Amino acid sequence: MSTSEHQFTTDVTDLPPVRTTEVVDLGDGGRYELKIAPVAKRMGGDTVRMLAYNGSIPGPILRVRQGAQVAVDIENQGDMEGTVHWHGLRLDNRYDGTHQTQAPIQVGGRFTAVIKCPDPGAYWYHPHIRSDYGIEMGLYGGVVVDPDDPDYWPPVHRELFVTLDDLLLEEGKVAPFSREETTHAAMGRFGNVILVNGETDLALTAQRGEVLRLYLLNTANTRVFNVALPGVPIKLVGGDSGHVEQEEWVEEVVLAPSERVVVDVLFEAAGEFEMQHRTPDRVYPLAVVTVQPEPAEPSLAESYPQLRSYPDMVAERARIQPYLAAAPDKTLSFLAEMNLPQPEGNDPVVYACPMHPDVVSETPAHCPQCGMKLVAVAAVSMFVCPMHPEVVSDEPGHCPRCAMKLLPKQLVDQAAGHEHAGHGHEHPGHGDGHGDAHSHGTSEGIEWEDDMVEVNRMTTPANFQWKLVDQDTEAVNAAIDWRFRVGDQVKIRLVNEMAGDHPMHHPFHIHGAGRFLVLSRDGVVEPNLVWKDTVLLRTGETVDILLDVTEPGTWMAHCHIAEHHETGMMFNFEVAKPDPSPPS
């Protein structure tokens, strides 16, 4: 764990302690200073080095009125050159915060971004150079754009911006990051500590009868969150960029990395309520809400049960009808190509699935359970019984004690290290959590945990490539050359292929060239429209979206699993200004 010149430092000497996150109201024409710098943060019994905006994790929550324009003066005192990307905001292209649209801010340098906020909703800001490192280390903050229309959202007593994240700790420090390359390229870097608003044990308070609006944001590198509040009514009211077509009651909401969901919750009775992250195999506590017996004023008992529909989104439903059956203008495939090295030496090899070690083949193939490419492992003296590790064989067979199929020892050892606390990769949570710690890979089209820890750790852009492929031209990643014009309505088909070497989910994000509506998933029309900038593609899923192109410039589209983006799963596209009107 010692820091070398090839790794980012983990030294906490003389670092200031992390501060409390501020909520900052900025009026039209306002100006704000934003500083990137390291901080020291307590994690249980350890103090770890992290990065912060203005000393807090998450960074300041900026509140801006719809239609306002504000200037943010950014100072970089971090570990490396960088940018700040204003995720989801349709702004001038030169302030989008990628290295294609601005010169990176050098350490010690400054840059002023002018931020336009045309759409109500919840947004966020984060680095866009080595985002796998910066976001993991704590560089994320929120933006709330308050609507001009006072009736845009239903009435609530309070609003709270909630960030959901995880962090990988090893031996009391943030697990090391290479300066030269991204690791954990296959699945992304899963953490073993969950952070909610930067805390491992977030405690909130409310009053009896209080209605609280939660702007939920997933800032994790790769983890998908499924948020529930048992015993508390949850009303879905909005998503990435504004309100939904039709409010609805839900038991839980799923957020992929960078997605936002807006829910209103009513605390009807006094007591303690636990916010949870629910996976098919385990329930993780996220926060505890203590509801005081004093009633909230004024009472919202009459308005909260109402489920409103919104005419603007109903009109969008009518507008998109011709696009539902139309052929896509663009089709994009999501694929993986894995080229892990063969085991050293001349020993014979077998091929096994890192996620399902009982799947073993004598020849290269793909796992019949999850579709992943089988990994070569040495076969000599490498077969062992998972139930009775003392049973070892030179060749495949079955255990004489329990008749279980013998598995490659390398994968059994890896699974044991993952299941227990080996190397700091235990499952995340605030203690033991609830339920069984075992996970079995892709469930509901989502990989909820890292089920191939050691293989995932060793994957880099050198041996694992994630690809976006334009099906019309066969161009891959940066070679994709899409060109649109302001005013275009572009139907894009997103195909999460099962034919690649590692099928898994992907959150696909389109920068501020416009915003889009999800038309359908696997041919089923989307039942509740909301403006989006990020969409989750589950394993094997096909999603049709309709992009409303409104802003000229060079824009980026990419997978928002940070390690996938850094592995090259991105491209830029051009948007031209509209044709000039002919003279009358």
Side-chain angles (χ1 to χ4, degrees), residues 432-566:
D432 293 334
H434 310 294
D436 183 7
H438 177 68
S439 179
H440 56 304
T442 302
S443 180
E444 303 175 357
I446 295 171
E447 290 179 0
W448 299 97
E449 311 284 357
D450 186 347
D451 284 331
M452 40 181 263
V453 174
E454 298 307 322
V455 172
N456 189 28
R457 184 207 295 265
M458 67 183 287
T459 53
T460 71
N463 56 40
F464 201 108
Q465 290 80 48
W466 282 106
K467 295 181 178 182
L468 296 170
V469 182
D470 182 342
Q471 286 194 6
D472 294 326
T473 65
E474 298 185 354
V476 176
N477 291 343
I480 295 173
D481 185 23
W482 289 358
R483 296 181 181 273
F484 307 130
R485 190 172 295 277
V486 169
D488 285 350
Q489 301 290 306
V490 185
K491 181 174 180 178
I492 304 172
R493 178 158 294 166
L494 307 171
V495 183
N496 194 356
E497 302 279 7
M498 290 296 293
D501 289 343
H502 183 190
M504 68 174 290
H505 64 269
H506 296 281
F508 182 66
H509 172 50
I510 299 178
H511 282 220
R515 51 187 182 167
F516 61 80
L517 297 169
V518 176
L519 298 177
S520 64
R521 298 174 185 269
D522 287 336
V524 178
V525 174
E526 187 75 356
N528 199 357
L529 297 178
V530 63
W531 285 110
K532 300 279 290 175
D533 56 66
T534 306
V535 62
L536 173 62
L537 278 76
R538 298 173 186 247
T539 304
E541 189 175 41
T542 295
V543 176
D544 286 349
I545 65 174
L546 184 66
L547 175 64
D548 178 22
V549 183
T550 62
E551 309 301 321
T554 301
W555 300 98
M556 183 179 287
H558 61 94
C559 175
H560 217 287
I561 292 177
E563 289 75 15
H564 293 185
H565 170 237
E566 296 296 333

Side-chain angles (χ1 to χ4, degrees), residues 287-352:
V288 173
V289 183
T290 301
V291 180
Q292 307 294 341
E294 294 80 12
E297 297 293 344
S299 172
L300 298 178
E302 290 187 10
S303 61
Y304 182 75
Q306 299 174 13
L307 295 178
R308 307 196 302 180
S309 62
Y310 292 94
D312 59 330
M313 300 309 296
V314 173
E316 292 297 332
R317 169 75 63 187
R319 183 183 71 85
I320 67 173
Q321 290 304 309
Y323 295 97
L324 295 177
D329 300 298
K330 303 290 184 182
T331 301
L332 201 63
S333 292
F334 294 65
L335 285 164
E337 184 175 298
M338 182 167 58
N339 298 293
L340 295 179
Q342 297 277 334
E344 296 181 358
N346 297 318
D347 293 334
V349 299
V350 293
Y351 299 86

Side-chain angles (χ1 to χ4, degrees), residues 261-279:
V261 171
V262 188
V263 295
D264 292 352
V265 294
L266 168 63
F267 296 99
E268 297 177 287
E272 286 194 348
F273 299 88
E274 185 177 74
M275 183 184 296
Q276 299 174 344
H277 164 45
R278 293 179 165 183
T279 79

Side-chain angles (χ1 to χ4, degrees), residues 165-373:
D165 195 14
D166 64 358
L167 182 67
L168 182 57
L169 298 182
E170 293 180 347
E171 300 178 15
K173 299 178 182 180
V174 176
F177 278 88
S178 166
R179 287 182 175 271
E180 285 81 24
E181 65 180 2
T182 296
T183 59
H184 300 80
M187 296 177 67
R189 178 182 284 228
F190 280 85
N192 53 14
V193 174
I194 287 180
L195 300 176
V196 183
N197 282 359
E199 302 298 326
T200 57
D201 53 355
L202 183 65
L204 303 172
T205 60
Q207 292 177 276
R208 180 171 56 85
E210 183 171 10
V211 178
L212 182 62
R213 174 160 301 134
L214 301 178
Y215 294 101
L216 300 172
L217 160 66
N218 183 354
T219 65
N221 280 25
T222 191
R223 184 179 298 276
V224 177
F225 282 93
N226 184 35
V227 181
L229 250 172
V232 178
I234 302 175
K235 181 163 61 173
L236 175 67
V237 299
D240 287 353
S241 192
H243 54 207
V244 293
E245 177 185 7
Q246 172 68 55
E247 295 173 356
E248 59 179 307
W249 302 113
V250 295
E251 293 186 359
E252 54 198 19
V253 289
V254 174
L255 294 93
S258 86
E259 278 192 304
R260 287 87 65 208
V261 171
V262 188
V263 295
D264 292 352
V265 294
L266 168 63
F267 296 99
E268 297 177 287
E272 286 194 348
F273 299 88
E274 185 177 74
M275 183 184 296
Q276 299 174 344
H277 164 45
R278 293 179 165 183
T279 79
D281 297 297
R282 186 178 171 118
V283 175
Y284 300 101
L286 295 176
V288 173
V289 183
T290 301
V291 180
Q292 307 294 341
E294 294 80 12
E297 297 293 344
S299 172
L300 298 178
E302 290 187 10
S303 61
Y304 182 75
Q306 299 174 13
L307 295 178
R308 307 196 302 180
S309 62
Y310 292 94
D312 59 330
M313 300 309 296
V314 173
E316 292 297 332
R317 169 75 63 187
R319 183 183 71 85
I320 67 173
Q321 290 304 309
Y323 295 97
L324 295 177
D329 300 298
K330 303 290 184 182
T331 301
L332 201 63
S333 292
F334 294 65
L335 285 164
E337 184 175 298
M338 182 167 58
N339 298 293
L340 295 179
Q342 297 277 334
E344 296 181 358
N346 297 318
D347 293 334
V349 299
V350 293
Y351 299 86
C353 177
M355 299 181 70
H356 302 96
D358 57 315
V359 176
V360 180
S361 172
E362 295 182 358
T363 58
H366 287 77
C367 175
Q369 295 188 44
C370 67
M372 185 171 180
K373 183 179 181 179

